[in-house]
Amino acid sequence: MTVERPVVRQRRLRRTPALRDLVAETSLAARQLVLPVFVREGAAEPVPISSMPGVVQHSRDSLRRAATEAAEAGLGGIMLFGVPTTKDAVGSGAVDPDGILNVAIADVAAEVGDALPVMADLCLDEFTDHGHCGVLTAGGVVDNDATLEVYAEMARAQAAAGAAVVGPSGMMDGQVAVVRDALDGVGRTDVAILAYATKYASAFYGPFREAVDSSLTGDRRTYQQDGRNRIEGVREALLDEAEGADLVMVKPALAYLDVLREVRDAVSVPVAAYNISGEYAMVEAAAANGWIDREAAILETLTSIRRAGADVVLTYWAAEAAALLRR
Ligand code: PBG
């Protein structure tokens, strides 16, 4: 019997690292990575987050150092989350200029200037005692339009503190238009909006709840999307683009790479994806057990999110990945 010889040979271009680099379709660079960080009100030292080994709730001082390092590493940005000591029903700490998030924005902006885009999560869940992303009606339901009024005030506070980019993440209808209007109304047409546009209710947010000391009981399924819906995810991104989003985000990343690709193909603004806490924790836990090669898994994860269509990736590994890419 004669052995058929292959007509097309794919292996020639896989023979050496240099040949593989020559034909690689996807790039991964520090400038495409945004580092999400947590800052805890009143913390004298960074506080470790047990479900996210290697990630901390920063003190104001350690946050400043992290921001400087992020700028030096050439990252694309830093996304700030506040962890306040006191919470209330309407999330007052979010709009208070002396609230931890606004103070931290000012700290970081003073530290890095325009060298590193300073971004802020624009949502109430860290600041409300019930843990929801908005204010509640008397009946305990998240009140969309009343929440929008608080988001408008929060956007103005974050812009005044020095945010270059605000990231509305509460999944209220109309939030991008309201935030754009609020910023423009005080002459801040320069502040950009990174809209958490296509955001699914997800079990993979678990470790984040520890990271921000969340008080949520129940879930966010009346405002975050149902994971069974792909077309709706594209519609959400198109709506936010029409409302004035400068970038749109898909979140989580790994379980929604198909949606990410469709969103990339549908909109004409840059697309971000959030490699979230649970995605981070899975790799760290497996690596800690010696079950996977940690650094290879990090780079493969981030590359796959880029390949699926993300121009920008938010990842807790941003600084480390930048170092790995320099080697
Ligand atoms: C809302 C917000 C959440 C995350 C980012 N912004 C939590 C949620 O929607 O439940 C999750 C990020 C992560 O899991 O890494 N403020």
Side-chain angles (χ1 to χ4, degrees), residues 8-42:
V8 178
R9 294 201 182 262
Q10 288 295 321
R11 290 186 52 196
R12 278 193 282 266
L13 292 179
R14 297 178 191 149
R15 192 170 57 81
T16 67
L19 283 165
R20 293 194 291 273
D21 279 349
L22 173 71
V23 297
E25 297 172 33
T26 305
S27 66
L28 183 63
R31 66 174 181 86
Q32 298 153 341
L33 305 177
V34 171
L35 179 68
V37 288
F38 305 100
V39 56
R40 185 190 180 111
E41 185 172 14

Side-chain angles (χ1 to χ4, degrees), residues 183-233:
L183 292 168
D184 292 353
V186 292
R188 297 308 305 272
T189 54
D190 59 317
V191 175
I193 299 175
L194 164 53
Y196 289 61
T198 305
K199 179 171 177 181
Y200 290 92
S202 173
F204 294 103
Y205 299 141
F208 178 90
R209 305 274 156 91
E210 182 198 345
V212 298
D213 298 351
S214 173
S215 17
L216 183 73
T217 52
D219 61 53
R220 306 195 196 288
R221 291 183 184 277
T222 70
Y223 40 106
Q224 296 181 344
Q225 287 178 256
D226 187 315
R228 292 171 291 191
N229 297 349
R230 174 177 55 85
I231 298 163
E232 184 194 23

Side-chain angles (χ1 to χ4, degrees), residues 148 151 168-180 196 243:
L148 293 181
Y151 285 0
S169 68
M171 290 300 283
M172 295 302 120
D173 288 328
Q175 63 184 11
V176 173
V178 162
V179 165
R180 184 69 271 158
Y196 289 61
E243 287 182 26

Side-chain angles (χ1 to χ4, degrees), residues 38 52 81 121-126 133 169-170 196 199 204-209 216 220 224 251 274-278 316:
F38 305 100
M52 299 177 72
F81 293 88
D121 186 63
L122 200 168
C123 193
L124 287 179
D125 63 318
E126 291 95 22
C133 293
S169 68
Y196 289 61
K199 179 171 177 181
F204 294 103
Y205 299 141
F208 178 90
R209 305 274 156 91
L216 183 73
R220 306 195 196 288
Q224 296 181 344
K251 177 183 176 193
Y274 200 140
N275 174 216
I276 63 164
S277 57
Y316 301 99

Side-chain angles (χ1 to χ4, degrees), residues 235-270:
R235 183 163 71 242
E236 285 280 7
L238 289 170
L239 280 169
D240 281 9
E241 181 180 37
E243 287 182 26
D246 299 286
L247 304 93
V248 293
M249 181 143 70
V250 175
K251 177 183 176 193
L254 294 184
Y256 299 89
L257 293 178
D258 57 330
V259 181
L260 174 57
R261 166 49 55 193
E262 291 210 37
V263 166
R264 176 56 292 171
D265 291 345
V267 301
S268 63
V269 290

